[in-house]
Amino acid sequence: MEHTLSPAAQVIISIVPIVGICFAASVIFFALLWKHRENSRRIELGAYEAPQVNLRNFSLLLGLCLTGVGAVLSVMFFLLGGLSWGLLGGLLPLAIGIMLLIFTKIAR
C-alpha cells in the first residue's frame, strides 16, 4: 500500500524549512544589532573593555576539533570509497587540525 502526499501537504512541507531559515536569520540579525548597540553605548559611557582572546587555547581547541572531525571523515570516506578524490573531504580538516596543534605546541 503506497501513500502519496496531497499537493497541499507537499507545499506545506516545502515551506517549513524556508520559514525556519527566515526566522533564524531574523533572530541572529536582531541579536547582532542588540550587541552592537550595547557596545556602542558602553563606548559612549567609557565603560567598554575589549574582549581578551587567548590565541593558544583557541588554537588548541580548534586543532583538536578539526583533527577529530578530519580523522573520522577520512576513515569513513576511505572505507566507503577507497582511495578517491572524496577522501580530500576528510584529509583537509585533518591536516589543518594537525597544523593548529603544531602551532599550539611551538607558540609558547
Side-chain angles (χ1 to χ4, degrees):
M1 186 157 82
E2 201 173 308
H3 295 288
T4 58
L5 296 175
S6 67
Q10 291 176 353
V11 169
I12 291 173
I13 289 173
S14 65
I15 288 177
V16 168
I18 296 170
V19 171
I21 290 170
C22 291
F23 179 73
S26 63
V27 167
I28 290 170
F29 170 77
F30 284 112
L32 290 173
L33 181 65
W34 179 287
K35 186 67 175 170
H36 168 71
R37 288 188 178 168
E38 180 184 5
N39 287 340
S40 298
R41 186 72 179 133
R42 285 185 183 198
I43 289 171
E44 289 173 2
L45 296 174
Y48 179 75
E49 293 180 16
Q52 299 296 324
V53 178
N54 188 342
L55 184 61
R56 189 163 186 269
N57 285 344
F58 179 73
S59 297
L60 176 63
L61 175 65
L62 192 61
L64 288 172
C65 290
L66 283 173
T67 302
V69 168
V72 170
L73 285 174
S74 296
V75 169
M76 287 307 298
F77 287 147
F78 181 73
L79 292 177
L80 292 176
L83 288 175
S84 66
W85 288 107
L87 192 58
L88 283 176
L91 290 177
L92 288 175
L94 178 65
I96 294 170
I98 290 172
M99 291 301 116
L100 283 169
L101 291 176
I102 291 171
F103 169 77
T104 303
K105 186 71 173 171
I106 62 175
R108 290 190 177 195

